[in-house]
Amino acid sequence: MTDRTSPLESFHEFLRSRDLKSTSQRDMIVEQIFSKPHHHFSAEELLETLREKDPSMSRATVYRTLLLLQDGNMLEELDIGKGHKYFEPMLGVSHHDHLICLGCEQIIEFESPEIESIQDQIIKKNQFEAVYHTHRIFGYCQLCQKKSK
Amino acid sequence: MTDRTSPLESFHEFLRSRDLKSTSQRDMIVEQIFSKPHHHFSAEELLETLREKDPSMSRATVYRTLLLLQDGNMLEELDIGKGHKYFEPMLGVSHHDHLICLGCEQIIEFESPEIESIQDQIIKKNQFEAVYHTHRIFGYCQLCQKKSK
DNA sequence: GTACGTGCAAAGACTTTGCAGAGAC
DNA sequence: GTCTCTGCAAAGTCTTTGCACGTAC
């Protein structure tokens, strides 16, 4: 929809809509997240990267900004079962699910309209009102399968 | 397969196969878990219940026994996105996935051979070796939908 | 008698929060 | 100038671990 606007612009728009302020810290965080092609990261990894550029970057600010981005639908949580959350940027990306390698933590994405449609039937049958879903398949990627041989 | 053996017997069998010992604490934990019909619980909830019967029950023992039960495939982890793990007993229960109510945390189970078979195709196409998967749909159950009106 | 198990408390990992000073608008 | 934000450190939550004592086999 808004292919023309940059992530930072979208973010500023979101802040304005909530009467929140733009700050250099928030901008730095958003720029860092959206500077890479679609990827996955943890809060602590992000903090570490940001501190290389600005050692005074606060852990609290990073966590608070991640919450903001989730509120603004620019970011989604992704639980890979490792005791901490992963995040994935969701700007200009359509819904998808994940194959997660238990060996190297590589994440492969997949989309399946067939599954989604069966899922819709299940939801209807249970008179449930769905908000979101996650479908994760854990196992070993091709490379890790070879390694273990 | 082993419908005739009780959960406690299965557990003892598992312990023997690993050269581990039966103890009254372990038995108490296993009995508590399998005393209810299929249900879901957190480690802390379980600990609290157990301490009502035996105030000296150790948190560490509970966590360690939960790990054992997972190793023995008698228990599965279920992440409902609340910062802590849920567990569900898996003895005599076939694989299923979950609808999770964001309002009351009620968990509805579903099974779909159609989804599983599409999933298998996806796994094959990505040359992945699947170990397990979780498919969770978050939203609102019928009751919570009514409440919010 | 010898592992292994238990209970305790401390440590760990990740995340959230209270507060005083700083900065956006 | 006001209201929000930041950084720090402390607190919180869930889970794991080290260690001395206890117990199953």
Side-chain angles (χ1 to χ4, degrees):
Chain A
M1 311 294 154
T2 51
D3 283 333
R4 204 162 295 189
T5 51
S6 73
L8 196 56
E9 282 165 3
S10 305
F11 180 60
H12 286 169
E13 208 171 293
F14 168 73
L15 290 177
R16 256 178 270 122
S17 75
R18 294 276 192 104
D19 280 314
L20 299 173
K21 292 170 183 174
S22 299
T23 67
S24 63
Q25 290 89 339
R26 285 177 176 170
D27 285 1
M28 193 181 304
I29 294 167
V30 172
E31 284 184 328
Q32 179 60 42
I33 291 173
F34 291 95
S35 68
K36 290 193 194 176
H38 189 62
H39 64 127
H40 306 91
F41 60 93
S42 70
E44 292 294 319
E45 277 166 21
L46 176 61
L47 175 64
E48 202 179 327
T49 311
L50 288 163
R51 281 197 170 157
E52 285 169 16
K53 297 181 184 170
D54 176 1
S56 73
M57 178 64 72
S58 163
R59 170 168 277 115
T61 300
V62 171
Y63 277 94
R64 286 188 278 232
T65 304
L66 287 172
L67 285 180
L68 278 179
L69 286 166
Q70 286 181 79
D71 272 2
N73 295 315
M74 298 176 66
L75 203 61
E76 276 189 12
E77 255 182 60
L78 170 61
D79 192 323
I80 66 159
K82 287 273 174 184
H84 59 77
K85 295 173 188 167
Y86 260 48
F87 297 92
E88 65 175 329
M90 287 305 287
L91 267 183
V93 174
S94 62
H95 171 78
H96 54 260
D97 291 291
H98 301 94
L99 298 165
I100 300 165
C101 180
L102 296 166
C104 62
E105 293 191 30
Q106 187 200 164
I107 296 170
I108 302 168
E109 298 174 348
F110 70 88
E111 271 181 83
S112 169
E114 299 97 311
I115 289 180
E116 307 278 323
S117 105
I118 298 168
Q119 196 175 269
D120 287 344
Q121 292 166 28
I122 291 167
I123 291 164
K124 192 175 280 179
K125 192 164 57 187
N126 285 281
Q127 297 177 281
F128 202 73
E129 182 187 312
V131 177
Y132 62 94
H133 72 269
T134 74
H135 188 168
R136 296 164 309 159
I137 302 168
F138 293 85
Y140 294 95
C141 69
Q142 222 186 337
L143 223 75
C144 287
Q145 287 169 51
K146 279 182 193 151
K147 270 184 215 157
S148 68
K149 277 174 193 162
Chain B
M1 312 289 154
T2 51
D3 283 332
R4 204 164 296 191
T5 52
S6 73
L8 196 56
E9 283 165 3
S10 306
F11 181 59
H12 285 170
E13 209 171 292
F14 168 73
L15 290 178
R16 256 179 271 124
S17 75
R18 294 275 191 105
D19 279 314
L20 298 173
K21 293 170 180 170
S22 299
T23 67
S24 65
Q25 290 90 340
R26 284 176 177 170
D27 285 1
M28 193 182 302
I29 294 167
V30 172
E31 284 184 327
Q32 178 61 43
I33 291 173
F34 291 95
S35 69
K36 290 193 195 176
H38 190 61
H39 65 128
H40 306 89
F41 60 91
S42 69
E44 293 294 320
E45 278 165 20
L46 175 61
L47 175 64
E48 203 179 323
T49 311
L50 288 163
R51 282 198 169 156
E52 285 168 15
K53 298 181 184 171
D54 176 0
S56 72
M57 178 64 72
S58 164
R59 172 169 277 116
T61 300
V62 171
Y63 276 94
R64 286 188 278 231
T65 304
L66 288 172
L67 286 179
L68 277 180
L69 287 166
Q70 286 181 77
D71 272 3
N73 296 314
M74 299 176 66
L75 203 62
E76 276 190 12
E77 253 182 61
L78 170 62
D79 191 325
I80 67 159
K82 288 273 173 182
H84 59 78
K85 295 174 189 167
Y86 261 47
F87 297 92
E88 66 175 331
M90 286 306 284
L91 266 185
V93 175
S94 62
H95 171 78
H96 54 258
D97 290 293
H98 302 93
L99 298 164
I100 299 165
C101 180
L102 295 168
C104 62
E105 294 191 27
Q106 186 201 162
I107 297 170
I108 302 169
E109 298 175 349
F110 71 89
E111 270 181 84
S112 169
E114 299 97 313
I115 289 181
E116 307 277 325
S117 105
I118 299 168
Q119 197 175 268
D120 288 344
Q121 291 166 30
I122 291 167
I123 290 164
K124 194 175 276 182
K125 192 162 59 188
N126 284 281
Q127 298 177 280
F128 202 73
E129 182 187 312
V131 177
Y132 63 93
H133 73 268
T134 75
H135 188 169
R136 296 165 308 159
I137 302 169
F138 294 86
Y140 294 94
C141 69
Q142 223 187 338
L143 222 76
C144 287
Q145 287 169 49
K146 279 182 193 149
K147 272 185 211 156
S148 70
K149 272 174 194 161

